[in-house]
Amino acid sequence: MSRRIVISTVAGAVLLAGTGAFALAYAGNQPPVLTHPTARYTAPGTDRAGSLTFTTDVTASSGVKSVKVLAWPATSSLAKKAPTAKEMTHAESALCTPSGAHTAHCTYRVTVSRTDADTSPRGQWHVTVLATDKDGHTTLDTKAANFTV
């Protein structure tokens, strides 16, 4: 084998290894990704409480640390200025269970009483989500899902 071919092969291998290492380092710095966010509201009945259930899958290369959830009416003051990441740190947490190597399935569920339903604004509501990975990267989706009361 000629010396030129050997040098070219070695140079190509070094280039590919460097590109792969960069890609892995870059992928490790990505914020969490939310997929399949859904919200389901069930009004209370005469003999049972209602509920709000929000679910999403969260993918984070370092693992999912927390998912915070806040439901708010579209007619509220939040319509002009959506919640910030800092404000969302005080929201309620979703329960997350691993569903893959770097993915967790997260569920937030709250019971809705008849009194809560009667005093809540009617119409469209939004769900804001703050996902944080174990490296501290965050993703804020101010309208991850919608539902109607």
Side-chain angles (χ1 to χ4, degrees):
M1 190 181 310
S2 81
R3 186 175 181 174
R4 182 181 285 174
I5 293 173
V6 171
I7 291 173
S8 294
T9 303
V10 170
V14 168
L15 178 65
L16 284 175
T19 302
F22 174 76
L24 284 175
Y26 182 73
N29 291 327
Q30 296 298 309
V33 176
L34 305 173
T35 54
H36 312 296
T38 58
R40 189 171 132 215
Y41 172 77
T42 303
T46 54
D47 59 344
R48 63 170 170 70
S51 65
L52 167 63
T53 303
F54 171 80
T55 61
T56 190
D57 292 321
V58 182
T59 303
S61 58
S62 66
V64 178
K65 179 180 178 184
S66 69
V67 174
K68 301 288 189 155
V69 180
L70 175 67
W72 52 278
T75 57
S76 74
S77 61
L78 292 175
K80 292 180 183 173
K81 184 186 172 292
T84 65
K86 184 177 180 181
E87 293 166 335
M88 285 298 295
T89 60
H90 303 289
E92 294 182 331
S93 296
L95 175 63
C96 297
T97 55
S99 61
H102 303 286
T103 303
H105 182 74
C106 302
T107 303
Y108 170 78
R109 182 178 168 89
V110 63
T111 301
V112 179
S113 70
R114 168 60 57 198
T115 303
D116 291 337
D118 290 345
T119 59
S120 294
R122 300 282 182 242
Q124 187 175 47
W125 284 57
H126 303 294
V127 177
T128 297
V129 178
L130 175 67
T132 305
D133 69 14
K134 291 182 179 177
D135 286 340
H137 300 107
T138 61
T139 295
L140 176 66
D141 189 341
T142 57
K143 294 182 182 173
N146 301 311
F147 63 96
T148 303
V149 173

